[in-house]
Amino acid sequence: MVDQELNDQMQVRRDKLGHWRSEGHAYPNGFRRDALADDLQQRYGDMDTTVLEQEPIEARLGGRLMSRRVMGKASFADIQDQSGRIQLFVSRDNLGEEVYARFKGLDFGDIIGVEGLLFRTKTGELSVKVHSLQLLSKALRPLPEKWHGLADPETRFRQRYVDLIVTEATRRTFQIRAETVAALRDGLRQRGFYEAETPMMQPVPGGATARPFVTHHHALDMTLYLRIAPELYLKRLVVGGIEQVFEINRNFRNEGISPRHNPEFTMLEWYEAYADHVRAMDLTETLIRAAAQAALGTTAINYQGLEIDLGKPFHRLTVMESVRAHNPDLADADLRNPAVLAAKLAQLHLPCQPAWGWGKRLIEIFEKTVEGHLQQPTFITEYPLEVSPLARRNDLDPEVTDRFELMIAGRELANGFSELNDPEDQAARFRAQVEAKDAGDEEAMCFDADYIRALEYGMPPTAGVGLGIDRLVMLLADQPSIREVILFPHLRPEQS
RNA sequence: GGGGAUGUAGCUCAGUCGGUAGAGCAGCGGCCUUUUAAGCCGUGGGUCGCGGGUUCGAUUCCCGCCGUCCCCA
């Protein structure tokens, strides 16, 4: 809740701010730092004590006061900046009576600027012997307790700024996220891919099967949809001759919220002309491996107790092979028999609609009986045509597509395929989707006439992949919930 | 949408078989010049998520609502 009234601690801090203001120099902006806490630890942490004494290092640091141990006329304190923490030694003898008293009047969370000389304490800890100290910004609200930190998940998500101040693990998670995204971007750029930004607001939402968010443009008086995927725009770029292209950006899907779903989430999609789904799988594997190495320094990870070595080759098997493996009661011939599949769905207490072909029925069975069991990295291939309206038909088996999904830890991490570049086939697939939509399938795709027009100019043979960034970061940062890897996850509004 | 858990001081948590609540840290006052969850002495702080009901009396029991977490659809 957004507290309107001041508790005793906030009142005390507010009063201190009043004093500071009355002195006429509150919130100064003249202090400049020349060092970061962790850089000093890295550079001088192991330096010989006598060397530090003979050639003292002067440092100017800015940071937040996180803890303090006052022993009369001398004190130790810890300040935290973006890089980490360092201990300060603050004494009346070094600062003078007035400034030392001022230091003792500081509160946890206050942001201060200090100057001092590096030295080592009796216990060997690298510290700054402060000879100059000033308050730069006042923390008017008290921080959570230093030992247990912030435990309430609601506060951690609503007030992520507080979580970031006091929770080292949170800072670590978002560092992993930043390194992961950077590694993926670098990997693609090094291979000659261009980064593009395509529309977030689309007149026809496409590229995936999902309910979109709807909005309205007043000046044009038209309905627009927040994108559910960038796919159809990126492929327009391939038509336009940007033959290797990628985008890392947000998608929006108007669906439920869960530990694995946020209404807005981040997706990497890339497209490569003159490539097929096999090459796309290889590149997916390579990029994920490199991201793990960059973010964690290793490809051997532990996800919620599960050991996964992303350095080993990922498994590859077809949808039908995997369904057979987990459902020994089904024979090969059963997998395309709608009646048998309907019986199986009933046995699994899953709904089945008459309009569904074998492909949709098979995928429902796959999701229920196989997906959660695929713990080690596994590419599942040969998705049915019926559930793959943008993927190219397989040359040998026209009822399946040259498509794959990557499963790790029982979750879909990536989805890719050789792209359907035959405009007549694509138009027919769109028509089938529109029929499904008219029959009541809210998630079915719309007919995108401009996309067909683009394909009619000719799209080279192309492979494309979408990779869920949030889920990859969950995996690498060992986090069980998507909310832990999104800085500001969606929550219901606070009561005022 | 259904089920389960949860909401108490700034934070982390106890507790009240119904008689308006405690601890630690943080705060405030004092002592303390090598601490690191510093220590010692003293001390203030609560709409017990919100709204109804039952009751002499509700933070506690009942109903509804809201938030959060988990599971299922």
Side-chain angles (χ1 to χ4, degrees):
Chain A
M1 256 148 279
V2 182
D3 13 335
Q4 297 296 336
E5 294 184 7
L6 303 182
N7 64 47
D8 57 337
Q9 300 199 44
M10 288 170 65
Q11 188 58 56
V12 166
R13 288 168 184 243
R14 194 75 60 168
D15 292 345
K16 288 176 180 174
L17 172 60
H19 270 101
W20 192 32
R21 281 196 202 286
S22 70
E23 290 166 355
H25 50 261
Y27 294 104
N29 190 356
F31 180 83
R32 297 293 174 263
R33 64 181 175 186
D34 63 15
L36 292 173
D38 195 59
D39 292 351
L40 294 176
Q41 305 277 16
Q42 298 295 324
R43 284 181 67 183
Y44 303 112
D46 296 327
M47 186 177 277
D48 199 80
T49 304
T50 52
V51 176
L52 270 180
E53 283 167 1
Q54 280 158 16
E55 293 175 38
I57 310 287
E58 170 95 15
R60 298 166 61 88
L61 291 136
R64 197 181 284 277
L65 182 67
M66 298 304 289
S67 69
R68 180 168 52 181
R69 297 164 290 285
V70 177
M71 302 150 300
K73 298 177 184 64
S75 304
F76 288 97
D78 298 294
I79 57 165
Q80 173 174 293
D81 63 23
Q82 179 178 308
S83 72
R85 289 190 183 195
I86 194 163
Q87 179 170 261
L88 307 179
F89 178 74
V90 186
S91 73
R92 186 199 59 179
D93 293 350
N94 289 322
L95 279 179
E97 196 86 55
E98 190 189 333
V99 178
Y100 186 68
R102 205 181 280 269
F103 163 78
K104 288 204 284 186
L106 294 175
D107 292 297
F108 292 142
D110 285 353
I111 293 167
I112 59 175
V114 298
E115 289 179 63
L117 298 174
L118 293 185
F119 78 111
R120 209 177 294 283
T121 64
K122 210 163 70 175
T123 60
E125 181 170 350
L126 186 70
S127 306
V128 180
K129 189 169 290 180
V130 174
H131 55 68
S132 168
L133 180 150
Q134 60 176 311
L135 178 59
L136 301 176
S137 185
K138 186 74 192 158
L140 292 173
R141 292 172 181 264
L143 290 179
E145 191 220 348
K146 61 190 166 190
W147 188 241
H148 298 93
L150 189 55
D152 176 19
E154 183 174 356
T155 311
R156 290 188 48 237
F157 300 147
R158 281 199 201 284
Q159 296 182 252
R160 184 66 97 180
Y161 37 91
V162 178
D163 186 35
L164 285 164
I165 291 169
V166 300
T167 315
E168 162 81 38
T170 299
R171 294 193 294 273
R172 169 83 181 130
T173 293
F174 289 103
Q175 185 185 352
I176 289 171
R177 183 172 182 125
E179 298 292 343
T180 299
V181 171
L184 294 169
R185 176 174 276 122
D186 290 349
L188 287 163
R189 285 180 50 80
Q190 281 164 16
R191 289 171 175 82
F193 285 78
Y194 285 66
E195 182 163 4
E197 292 156 279
T198 63
M200 294 277 179
M201 295 192 293
Q202 304 180 348
V204 181
T209 51
R211 274 186 73 177
F213 285 92
V214 185
T215 187
H216 185 259
H217 191 295
H218 293 297
L220 299 179
D221 188 23
M222 69 180 291
T223 298
L224 285 167
Y225 302 88
L226 298 190
R227 75 179 190 189
I228 54 177
E231 173 155 353
L232 301 185
Y233 283 91
L234 288 167
K235 286 194 282 198
R236 283 171 169 96
L237 295 180
V238 177
V239 170
I242 306 180
E243 296 168 347
Q244 292 171 272
V245 65
F246 74 97
E247 177 162 7
I248 299 174
N249 225 319
R250 226 67 62 81
N251 289 345
F252 307 86
R253 295 187 185 175
N254 203 343
E255 294 167 353
I257 297 174
S258 83
R260 284 162 297 285
H261 298 87
N262 197 61
E264 53 179 302
F265 61 99
T266 302
M267 191 86 148
L268 160 64
E269 287 201 10
W270 77 81
Y271 292 84
E272 182 175 25
Y274 308 102
D276 65 5
H277 64 293
V278 176
R279 179 177 164 82
M281 283 191 277
D282 292 342
L283 184 51
T284 301
E285 198 169 329
T286 301
L287 288 173
I288 289 175
R289 200 166 284 149
Q293 191 66 44
L296 305 175
T298 177
T299 57
I301 65 170
N302 183 303
Y303 184 70
Q304 304 291 294
L306 172 70
E307 302 285 343
I308 300 171
D309 189 349
L310 297 167
K312 291 182 184 166
F314 295 2
H315 300 126
R316 298 184 185 197
L317 72 163
T318 67
V319 172
M320 286 186 277
E321 286 167 350
S322 69
V323 170
R324 283 272 284 121
H326 286 85
N327 298 275
D329 54 317
L330 294 175
D332 276 338
D334 295 334
L335 299 181
R336 296 196 190 186
N337 182 326
V340 173
L341 295 174
K344 181 69 183 177
L345 284 166
Q347 182 197 322
L348 293 167
H349 305 292
L350 290 174
C352 181
Q353 291 176 20
W356 292 357
W358 68 265
K360 174 69 174 164
R361 295 177 190 203
L362 182 67
I363 283 300
E364 293 289 315
I365 293 167
F366 169 82
E367 288 178 359
K368 177 77 171 185
T369 64
V370 181
E371 194 169 293
H373 298 290
L374 297 172
Q375 302 291 311
Q376 294 298 320
T378 305
F379 286 111
I380 298 295
T381 61
E382 297 187 13
Y383 275 70
L385 184 91
E386 184 184 2
V387 296
S388 312
L390 302 170
R392 182 180 185 280
R393 272 176 214 271
N394 182 272
D395 287 330
L396 302 176
D397 181 352
E399 289 193 69
V400 302
T401 56
D402 291 338
R403 175 182 169 193
F404 67 88
E405 287 195 1
L406 172 62
M407 307 290 172
I408 306 182
R411 272 179 217 147
E412 176 195 343
L413 224 78
N415 174 27
F417 35 86
S418 299
E419 301 298 336
L420 175 55
N421 62 344
D422 173 345
E424 293 181 351
D425 190 354
Q426 183 67 78
R429 306 259 201 115
F430 275 155
R431 281 193 292 273
Q433 288 287 310
V434 170
E435 273 176 36
K437 198 173 210 52
D438 292 345
D441 183 352
E442 274 192 328
E443 292 192 342
M445 291 180 181
C446 302
F447 194 102
D448 189 332
D450 177 70
Y451 179 64
I452 297 296
R453 180 167 63 181
L455 289 184
E456 286 170 355
Y457 282 91
M459 182 166 82
T462 297
V465 178
L467 192 162
I469 297 292
D470 310 279
R471 290 184 179 182
L472 177 58
V473 175
M474 284 169 68
L475 188 72
L476 296 181
D478 191 19
Q479 293 296 335
S481 168
I482 196 170
R483 287 182 282 261
E484 295 289 348
V485 303
I486 292 176
L487 281 165
F488 299 100
H490 185 80
L491 298 176
R492 285 187 173 82
E494 279 180 280
Q495 272 191 305
S496 53

